[in-house]
Amino acid sequence: MGHQVEVDQAFVQAPEHRPKTVISEAGGIPLIDLSPLFSDSAGAVVPVTLVQQVEAASRDWGFFQVINHGIPPELLKAAETTEREFFALSEEEKKKVRRDEVNPLGYYESEHTKNVRDWKEVIDLVLHEPSEVDVRGLELKNKWPQVPPGFRETFEEYGKSLEKLAFRLLELIALSLNLPAKRLNVFFEEQTTFIRLNHYPPCPYPDLALGVGRHKDAGALTVLYQDSTGGLDVKRKSDGNWVRVKPIPNSFIINVGDIIQVWSNDKYESVEHRVSLNSARDRFSIPFFFYPASHTNVKPLEELVDEKNPARYDEYNWGEFFKTRKDSNYKKSEAENIQITHFKRV
Protein backbone atom coordinates (compact mmCIF):
# COMPACT_ATOMS: atom_id res chain seq x y z
CA MET A 1 0.00 0.00 0.00
CA GLY A 2 1.24 3.45 -0.91
CA HIS A 3 0.90 6.49 1.32
CA GLN A 4 -2.78 7.19 1.91
CA VAL A 5 -3.73 10.83 1.40
CA GLU A 6 -6.55 11.99 3.64
CA VAL A 7 -9.23 13.33 1.28
CA ASP A 8 -11.46 16.17 2.49
CA GLN A 9 -14.86 15.30 1.00
CA ALA A 10 -15.83 18.99 0.63
CA PHE A 11 -13.47 19.20 -2.34
CA VAL A 12 -14.43 15.94 -4.06
CA GLN A 13 -16.20 16.28 -7.39
CA ALA A 14 -18.98 13.87 -8.42
CA PRO A 15 -17.47 11.09 -10.60
CA GLU A 16 -18.83 12.52 -13.88
CA HIS A 17 -17.18 15.90 -13.20
CA ARG A 18 -13.76 14.68 -12.16
CA PRO A 19 -10.89 15.60 -14.47
CA LYS A 20 -9.97 12.81 -16.84
CA THR A 21 -6.31 12.02 -17.21
CA VAL A 22 -6.22 12.61 -20.96
CA ILE A 23 -7.26 16.02 -22.18
CA SER A 24 -6.85 17.07 -25.77
CA GLU A 25 -4.53 19.98 -26.42
CA ALA A 26 -4.79 19.64 -30.19
CA GLY A 27 -6.99 22.11 -32.04
CA GLY A 28 -6.80 24.56 -29.15
CA ILE A 29 -8.62 27.85 -28.78
CA PRO A 30 -7.97 30.41 -31.53
CA LEU A 31 -4.97 32.73 -31.17
CA ILE A 32 -5.61 36.32 -32.29
CA ASP A 33 -2.91 38.92 -32.88
CA LEU A 34 -4.21 42.37 -31.86
CA SER A 35 -1.24 44.32 -33.28
CA PRO A 36 -3.39 45.71 -36.16
CA LEU A 37 -5.23 47.79 -33.52
CA PHE A 38 -2.00 49.56 -32.63
CA SER A 39 -0.38 50.10 -36.03
CA ASP A 40 -0.04 53.68 -37.28
CA SER A 41 -1.78 52.83 -40.52
CA ALA A 42 -4.78 51.44 -38.66
CA GLY A 43 -6.27 54.88 -38.06
CA ALA A 44 -9.87 54.55 -36.98
CA VAL A 45 -10.59 51.52 -39.15
CA VAL A 46 -10.42 48.08 -37.59
CA PRO A 47 -9.30 45.51 -40.19
CA VAL A 48 -12.19 43.32 -41.36
CA THR A 49 -10.03 40.21 -40.98
CA LEU A 50 -9.57 40.93 -37.26
CA VAL A 51 -13.33 41.31 -36.75
CA GLN A 52 -13.90 38.06 -38.65
CA GLN A 53 -11.41 36.24 -36.41
CA VAL A 54 -13.18 37.51 -33.29
CA GLU A 55 -16.54 36.52 -34.74
CA ALA A 56 -15.42 32.96 -35.60
CA ALA A 57 -13.73 32.46 -32.21
CA SER A 58 -16.71 33.81 -30.25
CA ARG A 59 -19.16 31.72 -32.27
CA ASP A 60 -17.24 28.42 -32.45
CA TRP A 61 -15.44 28.44 -29.10
CA GLY A 62 -16.63 31.28 -26.86
CA PHE A 63 -12.89 31.62 -26.07
CA PHE A 64 -9.78 33.01 -27.72
CA GLN A 65 -6.24 33.98 -26.75
CA VAL A 66 -4.74 37.38 -27.63
CA ILE A 67 -1.14 38.48 -28.14
CA ASN A 68 0.32 41.92 -28.99
CA HIS A 69 -2.50 43.45 -26.94
CA GLY A 70 -0.72 46.63 -25.88
CA ILE A 71 -0.16 45.75 -22.20
CA PRO A 72 3.57 45.97 -21.37
CA PRO A 73 5.19 42.67 -20.31
CA GLU A 74 6.79 44.48 -17.34
CA LEU A 75 3.34 45.21 -15.92
CA LEU A 76 2.29 41.56 -16.30
CA LYS A 77 5.47 40.46 -14.56
CA ALA A 78 4.95 42.96 -11.73
CA ALA A 79 1.36 41.78 -11.26
CA GLU A 80 2.33 38.11 -11.14
CA THR A 81 5.28 38.75 -8.77
CA THR A 82 3.12 40.83 -6.41
CA GLU A 83 0.38 38.20 -6.46
CA ARG A 84 2.87 35.43 -5.59
CA GLU A 85 4.24 37.54 -2.73
CA PHE A 86 0.77 38.15 -1.31
CA PHE A 87 -0.23 34.48 -1.31
CA ALA A 88 3.10 33.50 0.26
CA LEU A 89 2.20 35.51 3.39
CA SER A 90 1.06 33.81 6.59
CA GLU A 91 -2.64 32.97 6.99
CA GLU A 92 -2.75 35.53 9.79
CA GLU A 93 -1.45 38.28 7.51
CA LYS A 94 -3.82 37.36 4.65
CA LYS A 95 -6.81 37.27 6.99
CA LYS A 96 -6.26 40.96 7.82
CA VAL A 97 -7.98 41.64 4.48
CA ARG A 98 -10.55 38.83 4.69
CA ARG A 99 -14.00 39.38 3.17
CA ASP A 100 -17.11 39.44 5.35
CA GLU A 101 -20.90 39.36 4.99
CA VAL A 102 -21.16 43.12 4.36
CA ASN A 103 -18.19 43.56 2.06
CA PRO A 104 -17.69 40.76 -0.48
CA LEU A 105 -14.23 42.12 -1.41
CA GLY A 106 -10.93 40.91 0.02
CA TYR A 107 -9.27 37.59 0.74
CA TYR A 108 -11.02 34.27 1.12
CA GLU A 109 -10.34 30.59 0.81
CA SER A 110 -13.72 28.86 0.85
CA GLU A 111 -15.53 29.51 -2.42
CA HIS A 112 -17.95 26.91 -3.73
CA THR A 113 -18.69 26.33 -7.42
CA LYS A 114 -21.71 24.14 -8.10
CA ASN A 115 -21.79 23.44 -4.34
CA VAL A 116 -18.37 21.75 -4.26
CA ARG A 117 -15.52 23.58 -2.57
CA ASP A 118 -12.79 24.92 -4.89
CA TRP A 119 -9.13 24.10 -4.19
CA LYS A 120 -7.88 27.68 -4.18
CA GLU A 121 -7.54 30.97 -2.32
CA VAL A 122 -8.37 34.36 -3.82
CA ILE A 123 -8.39 38.09 -3.23
CA ASP A 124 -11.03 40.22 -4.97
CA LEU A 125 -10.69 43.92 -5.87
CA VAL A 126 -13.13 46.21 -7.66
CA LEU A 127 -11.89 48.38 -10.48
CA HIS A 128 -14.02 51.39 -9.44
CA GLU A 129 -15.26 51.68 -5.88
CA PRO A 130 -18.87 52.92 -5.83
CA SER A 131 -19.28 56.18 -3.90
CA GLU A 132 -22.16 54.89 -1.77
CA VAL A 133 -23.32 51.61 -0.30
CA ASP A 134 -24.89 49.42 -2.97
CA VAL A 135 -28.72 49.50 -2.94
CA ARG A 136 -28.60 45.86 -1.93
CA GLY A 137 -26.70 46.71 1.25
CA LEU A 138 -23.30 45.58 -0.06
CA GLU A 139 -20.40 47.83 0.73
CA LEU A 140 -17.87 47.57 -2.06
CA LYS A 141 -14.63 48.91 -0.64
CA ASN A 142 -11.28 47.48 -1.62
CA LYS A 143 -9.33 45.94 1.23
CA TRP A 144 -5.79 46.74 0.14
CA PRO A 145 -3.11 44.60 1.81
CA GLN A 146 -0.29 46.60 3.43
CA VAL A 147 2.18 43.91 2.34
CA PRO A 148 3.72 43.24 -0.08
CA PRO A 149 4.66 46.91 -0.60
CA GLY A 150 3.40 48.35 -3.87
CA PHE A 151 0.44 45.95 -4.03
CA ARG A 152 -2.12 48.72 -4.44
CA GLU A 153 -0.12 50.72 -7.00
CA THR A 154 0.57 47.63 -9.11
CA PHE A 155 -3.05 46.52 -9.27
CA GLU A 156 -4.44 50.02 -9.79
CA GLU A 157 -2.16 50.35 -12.82
CA TYR A 158 -3.04 46.82 -13.95
CA GLY A 159 -6.76 47.61 -13.65
CA LYS A 160 -6.50 50.80 -15.74
CA SER A 161 -4.56 49.03 -18.48
CA LEU A 162 -6.91 46.05 -18.56
CA GLU A 163 -9.94 48.33 -18.71
CA LYS A 164 -8.61 49.92 -21.91
CA LEU A 165 -8.04 46.49 -23.41
CA ALA A 166 -11.50 45.28 -22.32
CA PHE A 167 -13.16 48.23 -24.11
CA ARG A 168 -11.19 47.44 -27.29
CA LEU A 169 -12.32 43.82 -27.10
CA LEU A 170 -15.91 44.91 -26.43
CA GLU A 171 -15.76 47.06 -29.57
CA LEU A 172 -14.46 44.13 -31.61
CA ILE A 173 -17.37 42.02 -30.28
CA ALA A 174 -19.85 44.77 -31.22
CA LEU A 175 -18.39 45.03 -34.74
CA SER A 176 -18.54 41.24 -35.08
CA LEU A 177 -22.30 41.45 -34.39
CA ASN A 178 -22.62 44.10 -37.16
CA LEU A 179 -23.23 46.82 -34.60
CA PRO A 180 -21.48 50.19 -34.28
CA ALA A 181 -18.16 49.77 -32.46
CA LYS A 182 -19.26 51.68 -29.35
CA ARG A 183 -22.80 50.24 -29.17
CA LEU A 184 -22.16 48.33 -25.92
CA ASN A 185 -19.97 50.92 -24.16
CA VAL A 186 -22.92 52.74 -22.59
CA PHE A 187 -23.63 49.78 -20.29
CA PHE A 188 -20.18 50.16 -18.68
CA GLU A 189 -20.37 53.80 -17.59
CA GLU A 190 -20.80 52.77 -13.94
CA GLN A 191 -19.29 49.34 -14.35
CA THR A 192 -19.04 46.75 -11.58
CA THR A 193 -15.87 45.16 -12.98
CA PHE A 194 -13.62 43.32 -10.58
CA ILE A 195 -10.18 41.74 -10.56
CA ARG A 196 -9.52 38.45 -8.83
CA LEU A 197 -6.14 37.02 -7.90
CA ASN A 198 -6.25 33.21 -7.76
CA HIS A 199 -3.78 30.86 -6.13
CA TYR A 200 -4.21 27.12 -6.64
CA PRO A 201 -1.79 25.26 -4.35
CA PRO A 202 -0.48 21.83 -5.42
CA CYS A 203 -3.16 19.21 -4.78
CA PRO A 204 -2.38 15.69 -3.55
CA TYR A 205 -5.47 14.28 -5.30
CA PRO A 206 -5.77 16.16 -8.63
CA ASP A 207 -7.89 13.34 -10.05
CA LEU A 208 -10.69 14.05 -7.52
CA ALA A 209 -10.73 17.81 -6.91
CA LEU A 210 -10.80 20.89 -9.13
CA GLY A 211 -9.33 24.36 -8.65
CA VAL A 212 -12.63 25.70 -9.93
CA GLY A 213 -15.47 23.39 -10.86
CA ARG A 214 -17.15 23.61 -14.24
CA HIS A 215 -19.01 26.90 -14.66
CA LYS A 216 -19.85 29.68 -17.07
CA ASP A 217 -18.91 33.31 -16.45
CA ALA A 218 -21.86 35.53 -15.62
CA GLY A 219 -20.46 38.84 -16.89
CA ALA A 220 -19.76 40.30 -20.33
CA LEU A 221 -16.09 39.47 -20.95
CA THR A 222 -13.35 37.84 -18.89
CA VAL A 223 -9.73 38.78 -19.63
CA LEU A 224 -7.48 36.21 -17.93
CA TYR A 225 -3.76 36.26 -17.30
CA GLN A 226 -2.31 32.88 -16.30
CA ASP A 227 1.18 31.76 -15.29
CA SER A 228 3.12 28.99 -17.01
CA THR A 229 1.62 26.10 -14.99
CA GLY A 230 -1.58 25.83 -17.04
CA GLY A 231 -4.75 24.09 -15.94
CA LEU A 232 -7.57 26.02 -17.60
CA ASP A 233 -9.84 23.54 -19.42
CA VAL A 234 -12.48 24.70 -21.90
CA LYS A 235 -15.39 22.56 -23.03
CA ARG A 236 -15.10 22.34 -26.80
CA LYS A 237 -18.44 23.14 -28.44
CA SER A 238 -17.89 20.83 -31.42
CA ASP A 239 -17.69 17.62 -29.39
CA GLY A 240 -18.04 18.41 -25.67
CA ASN A 241 -14.45 17.35 -24.88
CA TRP A 242 -12.33 19.29 -22.41
CA VAL A 243 -9.39 21.09 -24.01
CA ARG A 244 -6.45 22.41 -21.99
CA VAL A 245 -5.51 26.00 -22.84
CA LYS A 246 -1.78 26.19 -23.40
CA PRO A 247 -0.04 28.98 -21.48
CA ILE A 248 1.55 31.45 -23.91
CA PRO A 249 3.84 33.99 -22.22
CA ASN A 250 2.40 37.54 -22.05
CA SER A 251 -0.92 36.52 -23.57
CA PHE A 252 -4.48 36.89 -22.30
CA ILE A 253 -7.29 34.38 -22.56
CA ILE A 254 -10.62 35.99 -23.40
CA ASN A 255 -14.05 34.47 -23.03
CA VAL A 256 -17.49 35.83 -23.73
CA GLY A 257 -19.77 35.60 -20.72
CA ASP A 258 -23.48 35.11 -20.19
CA ILE A 259 -24.32 38.78 -20.78
CA ILE A 260 -22.89 38.69 -24.31
CA GLN A 261 -24.75 35.43 -24.91
CA VAL A 262 -28.01 37.23 -24.05
CA TRP A 263 -27.15 40.47 -25.90
CA SER A 264 -26.25 38.43 -29.00
CA ASN A 265 -29.49 36.44 -28.65
CA ASP A 266 -27.51 33.17 -28.63
CA LYS A 267 -25.29 33.93 -31.63
CA TYR A 268 -22.42 33.65 -29.13
CA GLU A 269 -22.41 31.25 -26.23
CA SER A 270 -20.80 31.51 -22.83
CA VAL A 271 -18.87 28.24 -22.59
CA GLU A 272 -18.23 25.98 -19.62
CA HIS A 273 -14.70 25.91 -18.28
CA ARG A 274 -12.89 24.75 -15.15
CA VAL A 275 -9.43 24.65 -13.58
CA SER A 276 -7.63 21.34 -13.18
CA LEU A 277 -5.00 20.99 -10.49
CA ASN A 278 -1.40 19.96 -10.45
CA SER A 279 0.09 17.70 -7.80
CA ALA A 280 3.53 19.32 -8.04
CA ARG A 281 3.10 22.99 -8.93
CA ASP A 282 1.21 26.03 -7.71
CA ARG A 283 -0.82 27.89 -10.29
CA PHE A 284 -1.46 31.64 -10.26
CA SER A 285 -3.94 33.50 -12.43
CA ILE A 286 -5.57 36.93 -12.60
CA PRO A 287 -9.02 37.15 -14.19
CA PHE A 288 -10.43 40.59 -14.98
CA PHE A 289 -14.24 40.30 -14.96
CA PHE A 290 -15.69 43.04 -17.17
CA TYR A 291 -19.14 43.76 -15.74
CA PRO A 292 -21.73 46.43 -16.63
CA ALA A 293 -23.39 48.86 -14.21
CA SER A 294 -25.55 47.15 -11.59
CA HIS A 295 -28.67 49.01 -12.82
CA THR A 296 -28.24 47.47 -16.30
CA ASN A 297 -31.19 45.43 -17.50
CA VAL A 298 -29.83 42.68 -19.73
CA LYS A 299 -31.84 41.51 -22.72
CA PRO A 300 -31.23 40.64 -26.38
CA LEU A 301 -30.25 43.79 -28.32
CA GLU A 302 -33.13 45.09 -30.41
CA GLU A 303 -30.96 45.29 -33.56
CA LEU A 304 -30.45 41.52 -33.36
CA VAL A 305 -34.10 40.61 -32.84
CA ASP A 306 -36.81 40.42 -35.52
CA GLU A 307 -39.79 38.24 -36.49
CA LYS A 308 -37.53 35.51 -37.86
CA ASN A 309 -35.23 35.70 -34.85
CA PRO A 310 -37.36 36.53 -31.79
CA ALA A 311 -35.83 37.37 -28.41
CA ARG A 312 -34.79 34.20 -26.64
CA TYR A 313 -34.46 35.72 -23.15
CA ASP A 314 -36.55 37.75 -20.78
CA GLU A 315 -34.92 40.84 -19.37
CA TYR A 316 -33.12 40.58 -16.03
CA ASN A 317 -31.32 43.05 -13.81
CA TRP A 318 -27.54 42.56 -13.61
CA GLY A 319 -27.13 43.81 -10.02
CA GLU A 320 -29.83 41.47 -8.69
CA PHE A 321 -28.44 38.56 -10.69
CA PHE A 322 -24.90 39.13 -9.45
CA LYS A 323 -25.90 39.49 -5.81
CA THR A 324 -27.82 36.20 -5.91
CA ARG A 325 -24.87 34.50 -7.59
CA LYS A 326 -22.36 35.89 -5.07
CA ASP A 327 -24.41 34.80 -2.06
CA SER A 328 -24.60 31.19 -3.19
CA ASN A 329 -20.84 31.05 -3.88
CA TYR A 330 -20.14 32.24 -0.35
CA LYS A 331 -22.36 29.76 1.42
CA LYS A 332 -23.12 26.25 0.28
CA SER A 333 -26.78 26.19 -0.74
CA GLU A 334 -29.04 23.38 -1.83
CA ALA A 335 -30.45 25.20 -4.84
CA GLU A 336 -28.36 25.53 -7.97
CA ASN A 337 -26.75 28.88 -8.61
CA ILE A 338 -28.84 31.37 -10.61
CA GLN A 339 -28.18 30.98 -14.36
CA ILE A 340 -29.28 32.83 -17.49
CA THR A 341 -31.22 29.70 -18.45
CA HIS A 342 -33.72 30.79 -15.78
CA PHE A 343 -34.62 33.70 -18.10
CA LYS A 344 -34.64 31.66 -21.31
CA ARG A 345 -37.90 31.68 -23.25
CA VAL A 346 -39.10 28.25 -24.18
Side-chain angles (χ1 to χ4, degrees):
M1 289 289 286
H3 174 63
Q4 284 293 309
V5 174
E6 192 56 44
V7 175
D8 180 341
Q9 292 301 315
F11 294 103
V12 172
Q13 295 284 332
E16 67 274 22
H17 299 310
R18 289 177 196 166
K20 295 200 175 34
T21 42
V22 183
I23 290 182
S24 158
E25 284 199 13
I29 66 170
L31 182 64
I32 299 179
D33 183 342
L34 295 182
S35 53
L37 292 179
F38 303 99
S39 73
D40 295 340
S41 60
V45 182
V46 176
V48 174
T49 47
L50 183 56
V51 176
Q52 286 168 340
Q53 284 178 296
V54 168
E55 179 186 20
S58 303
R59 185 189 62 227
D60 301 341
W61 281 89
F63 268 84
F64 50 97
Q65 217 159 351
V66 296
I67 52 171
N68 299 324
H69 40 63
I71 311 269
E74 307 81 66
L75 180 56
L76 294 178
K77 193 167 171 25
E80 188 186 320
T81 304
T82 306
E83 174 184 28
R84 285 173 178 272
E85 287 170 353
F86 172 77
F87 286 120
L89 297 170
S90 68
E91 281 303 304
E92 192 186 0
E93 193 63 51
K94 287 183 282 200
K95 284 185 173 163
K96 287 180 182 170
V97 290
R98 199 170 193 281
R99 70 174 277 181
D100 53 50
E101 294 278 346
V102 184
N103 184 353
L105 299 173
Y107 170 78
Y108 66 120
E109 65 312 308
S110 56
E111 186 161 66
H112 290 78
T113 302
K114 298 270 196 275
N115 285 329
V116 181
R117 194 164 157 191
D118 296 328
W119 186 275
K120 66 171 181 185
E121 52 179 351
V122 310
I123 180 169
D124 286 339
L125 312 162
V126 276
L127 186 64
H128 300 291
E129 292 181 332
S131 46
E132 67 281 339
V133 171
D134 183 277
V135 289
R136 294 156 201 91
L138 291 178
E139 190 184 331
L140 293 172
K141 283 264 175 277
N142 281 328
K143 295 185 171 182
W144 294 107
Q146 296 303 300
V147 276
F151 184 100
R152 179 172 183 163
E153 294 71 15
T154 299
F155 283 102
E156 283 182 339
E157 188 187 345
Y158 186 84
K160 283 194 196 101
S161 303
L162 268 279
E163 183 180 21
K164 283 194 191 113
L165 176 59
F167 273 114
R168 299 202 104 138
L169 293 164
L170 189 71
E171 290 171 12
L172 287 171
I173 296 277
L175 291 168
S176 77
L177 292 167
N178 295 318
L179 301 166
K182 297 199 183 312
R183 168 67 174 92
L184 305 172
N185 294 23
V186 61
F187 298 115
F188 293 85
E189 278 166 14
E190 294 171 38
Q191 57 182 282
T192 52
T193 296
F194 79 99
I195 298 168
R196 167 169 286 178
L197 315 188
N198 284 315
H199 171 223
Y200 305 93
C203 178
Y205 40 92
D207 50 337
L208 296 178
L210 286 166
V212 183
R214 71 196 201 291
H215 67 285
K216 299 181 175 195
D217 288 355
L221 285 174
T222 304
V223 183
L224 175 82
Y225 174 73
Q226 67 166 351
D227 71 3
S228 59
T229 299
L232 176 68
D233 301 332
V234 171
K235 198 167 196 180
R236 188 161 48 195
K237 282 176 69 174
S238 58
D239 58 10
N241 282 332
W242 289 100
V243 177
R244 175 70 42 89
V245 179
K246 214 167 119 190
I248 295 175
N250 301 325
S251 70
F252 288 105
I253 298 157
I254 316 299
N255 61 297
V256 302
D258 290 347
I259 290 176
I260 284 180
Q261 178 168 331
V262 174
W263 281 341
S264 76
N265 206 29
D266 281 349
K267 177 178 178 180
Y268 296 155
E269 188 188 337
S270 173
V271 167
E272 270 196 330
H273 51 289
R274 66 182 190 195
V275 172
S276 290
L277 295 158
N278 191 301
S279 59
R281 295 180 64 182
D282 296 83
R283 176 177 184 263
F284 295 88
S285 72
I286 310 174
F288 176 96
F289 295 106
F290 196 42
Y291 286 172
S294 51
H295 56 72
T296 304
N297 288 332
V298 181
K299 61 174 200 253
L301 298 166
E302 57 241 19
E303 300 95 316
L304 304 180
V305 172
D306 54 32
E307 278 172 26
K308 286 210 293 285
N309 192 16
R312 297 185 183 194
Y313 295 89
D314 291 321
E315 191 169 347
Y316 64 90
N317 174 265
W318 166 243
E320 296 291 340
F321 184 95
F322 185 61
K323 170 146 185 0
T324 310
R325 174 70 76 98
K326 261 290 194 231
D327 288 349
S328 71
N329 281 0
Y330 192 47
K331 291 196 218 29
K332 188 160 174 156
S333 66
E334 291 315 307
E336 198 199 9
N337 232 326
I338 188 165
Q339 306 289 349
I340 51 169
T341 45
H342 298 161
F343 301 94
K344 183 113 183 180
R345 295 181 177 179
V346 181

